[in-house]
Amino acid sequence: MEQIILSAITRHIQDNKVIRPSQHGFMKGRSCLTNLVSFDDKMTHIVDEGKAVDVVYLDFNKAFDTVSHSIVLEKLAPHGLDRHTLCWYSTQCVSGCVCPAGLVLDGNGGCILEDECPCIHNEAMYQPGEKINVDCNTCVCKNRKWECTKDQCLGTCTVYGDGHYNTFDDKRFSFNGNCEYTLVQDHCGKSGTANGTFRVITENIPCGNTGTTCSKSIKVFLESYELILYEEHFSVVKRGQNDEVPYTVRYMGMYLVIETTSGLILMWDKKTSIFIKLSPDFKSQICGLCGNYDGNGINDFTTRSQSVVENVLEFGNSWKVSSTCPDAYSIKDPCSTNPYRKSWSEKQCSIINSNVFAACHSQHAIAFMKGTAINTVNSSTTPQMELDGVSVQHVTSMEQ
């Protein structure tokens, strides 16, 4: 039946010249090769005429997996395809397609009023009036669409395990260095930020006999104060006569939380996980391993000299605090170094892909699963401690 309907639609489209002659994909007798030959012939003629040629390449990878069905149906409707034919392909609430006029399918075999249609978020259905939280905003399902508040949310940079990073602009990478590195600072040599108001530095603390990271030391510089977080302890070094304390310290479950008056929040699990949250006021005003917080993850690998690079080692090494500390020359792959632990670690971390975290699977579970498994492989002396610490960090991230 589907082939019959497809043939009828295709014939109708061809007879009415709906598709342009330049279309090669999914056309009988045409292919990528015929498209390339046609393109090359046209470009050659233009060059022979002495004209300049500019070519823009667009990557439509998986375009048919993500294209909106409703948009396709709207494009087809004006070209003579009747409503009943379009209903065969509709997955949306369309009155009269299967249900009586004025009613629509509810997705479970029943018919409901159009204004009772649900909203979709991360493959889950929500009824009218239901609310969800997206970052710091609240969204309400109304008339099949989400209506959300438009508050400016804090940006978050995450550092966890043995050198795994997720920048403010959501770029993920791994970098394993043995020096002190600048995570984030607001004195980047730009106008108005030459002196800056804060700086966060971190250093990996190894344990065991393989150099695996079991904790991190963190230094936060705020005006005349230096806050030191090391081996589950917190201390303060004050320089100068400024009596106004620009920060507060509190404990929230397993986390130590530092909140500054300038808009910086740091959360530390006293082991290997660090969350840094920044006010939107700092967008495009910061630099370091956490990126530049400009909404574009492509340029997050900006070095200390403000040049954008592709190599993670060049980027990471540029943010060493001390130039005398040796560069990192490779990215460690613990699964290759410890192949005998790979299957064990994947089994231990498989809980993330189990029903316990079913609500998270449409979001970031796979990426977190990989990071957790790598850290478990890496942990040579206290694997369960590392597994638990990273798993909690992943749960926290997915809840956010």
Side-chain angles (χ1 to χ4, degrees):
M1 178 63 75
E2 289 182 359
Q3 288 297 322
I4 295 174
I5 295 174
L6 176 61
S7 298
I9 292 177
T10 302
R11 186 168 56 254
H12 176 85
I13 289 175
Q14 290 174 343
D15 292 344
N16 289 273
K17 296 182 172 55
V18 175
I19 298 178
R20 296 180 181 181
S22 59
Q23 172 71 26
H24 287 259
F26 301 96
M27 297 294 292
K28 189 175 181 179
R30 295 189 173 191
S31 64
C32 292
L33 179 60
T34 60
N35 191 11
L36 182 61
V37 171
S38 174
F39 172 79
D40 185 66
D41 181 65
K42 187 171 184 178
M43 293 302 102
T44 302
H45 277 88
I46 295 175
V47 172
D48 289 343
E49 293 173 0
K51 299 178 181 178
V53 179
D54 294 320
V55 180
V56 177
Y57 293 94
L58 300 177
D59 182 6
F60 289 107
N61 184 32
K62 294 186 178 180
F64 287 94
D65 295 337
T66 57
V67 69
S68 170
H69 285 191
S70 61
I71 294 177
V72 174
L73 295 175
E74 287 177 9
K75 295 291 185 182
L76 289 173
H79 294 288
L81 288 172
D82 62 56
R83 172 184 179 171
H84 298 290
T85 302
L86 296 178
C87 281
W88 276 89
Y89 293 93
S90 175
T91 59
Q92 306 297 316
C93 289
V94 179
S95 175
C97 275
V98 177
C99 295
L103 300 179
V104 294
L105 277 174
D106 63 359
N108 297 313
C111 295
I112 58 176
L113 294 173
E114 189 170 338
D115 58 5
E116 295 177 0
C117 277
C119 300
I120 308 296
H121 178 70
N122 284 334
E123 302 178 7
M125 297 176 64
Y126 295 83
Q127 298 304 314
E130 285 195 272
K131 298 179 180 180
I132 61 172
N133 293 322
V134 179
D135 293 327
C136 65
N137 286 294
T138 301
C139 299
V140 181
C141 178
K142 289 184 179 180
N143 194 24
R144 297 177 289 173
K145 296 181 180 180
W146 291 108
E147 293 186 4
C148 303
T149 57
K150 298 181 179 180
D151 298 331
Q152 288 286 324
C153 303
L154 298 178
T156 303
C157 173
T158 308
V159 185
Y160 65 97
D162 196 10
H164 305 299
Y165 297 80
N166 190 24
T167 69
F168 288 107
D169 294 326
D170 206 28
K171 185 179 183 68
R172 297 179 185 275
F173 66 95
S174 295
F175 174 74
N176 317 94
N178 297 317
C179 305
E180 285 188 322
Y181 298 91
T182 299
L183 279 182
V184 59
Q185 62 183 21
D186 66 342
H187 39 102
C188 305
K190 299 178 182 178
S191 175
T193 61
N195 296 322
T197 60
F198 70 87
R199 186 184 189 192
V200 180
I201 293 173
T202 185
E203 180 181 14
N204 292 336
I205 308 243
C207 66
N209 54 15
T210 63
T212 298
T213 299
C214 280
S215 63
K216 296 180 183 295
S217 69
I218 308 165
K219 296 178 181 177
V220 183
F221 295 90
L222 298 167
E223 300 176 12
S224 59
Y225 289 86
E226 178 183 350
L227 315 183
I228 303 172
L229 291 70
Y230 179 79
E231 291 186 345
E232 302 189 19
H233 298 294
F234 170 74
S235 60
V236 180
V237 177
K238 181 181 178 183
R239 299 180 177 86
Q241 302 301 316
N242 185 8
D243 293 329
E244 184 177 349
V245 180
Y247 65 90
T248 58
V249 179
R250 56 190 171 92
Y251 291 89
M252 187 176 68
M254 63 183 291
Y255 291 97
L256 182 150
V257 181
I258 299 174
E259 187 167 356
T260 73
T261 56
S262 62
L264 165 73
I265 300 175
L266 185 145
M267 300 172 60
W268 178 47
D269 71 345
K270 306 172 193 174
K271 295 294 181 182
T272 64
S273 298
I274 307 169
F275 295 91
I276 299 176
K277 296 179 177 290
L278 277 181
S279 161
D281 295 336
F282 286 104
K283 283 188 174 181
S284 301
Q285 301 296 323
I286 63 166
C287 50
L289 292 180
C290 281
N292 54 19
Y293 192 20
D294 66 347
N296 180 15
I298 295 176
N299 60 11
D300 270 356
F301 281 3
T302 300
T303 65
R304 186 183 295 274
S305 62
Q306 296 299 296
S307 59
V308 179
V309 299
E310 294 185 3
N311 187 288
V312 65
L313 291 172
E314 182 180 357
F315 166 65
N317 287 324
S318 76
W319 288 107
K320 292 185 303 183
V321 174
S322 173
S323 59
T324 59
C325 189
D327 285 346
Y329 289 103
S330 63
I331 302 298
K332 292 188 293 185
D333 180 11
C335 291
S336 299
T337 307
N338 308 289
Y340 61 95
R341 295 175 62 88
K342 182 178 180 180
S343 59
W344 175 85
S345 66
E346 289 177 343
K347 180 180 179 181
Q348 294 296 314
C349 299
S350 62
I351 186 175
I352 295 177
N353 281 337
S354 71
N355 290 333
V356 176
F357 295 101
C360 304
H361 290 169
S362 60
Q363 300 184 46
H364 307 294
I366 300 302
F368 286 134
M369 171 73 173
K370 181 179 179 182
T372 310
I374 288 175
N375 279 285
T376 310
V377 170
N378 234 344
S379 185
S380 60
T381 57
T382 52
Q384 193 60 43
M385 177 198 71
E386 182 68 15
L387 171 63
D388 291 343
V390 178
S391 294
V392 171
Q393 185 270 325
H394 290 170
V395 175
T396 305
S397 295
M398 288 188 280
E399 286 179 345
Q400 293 173 341

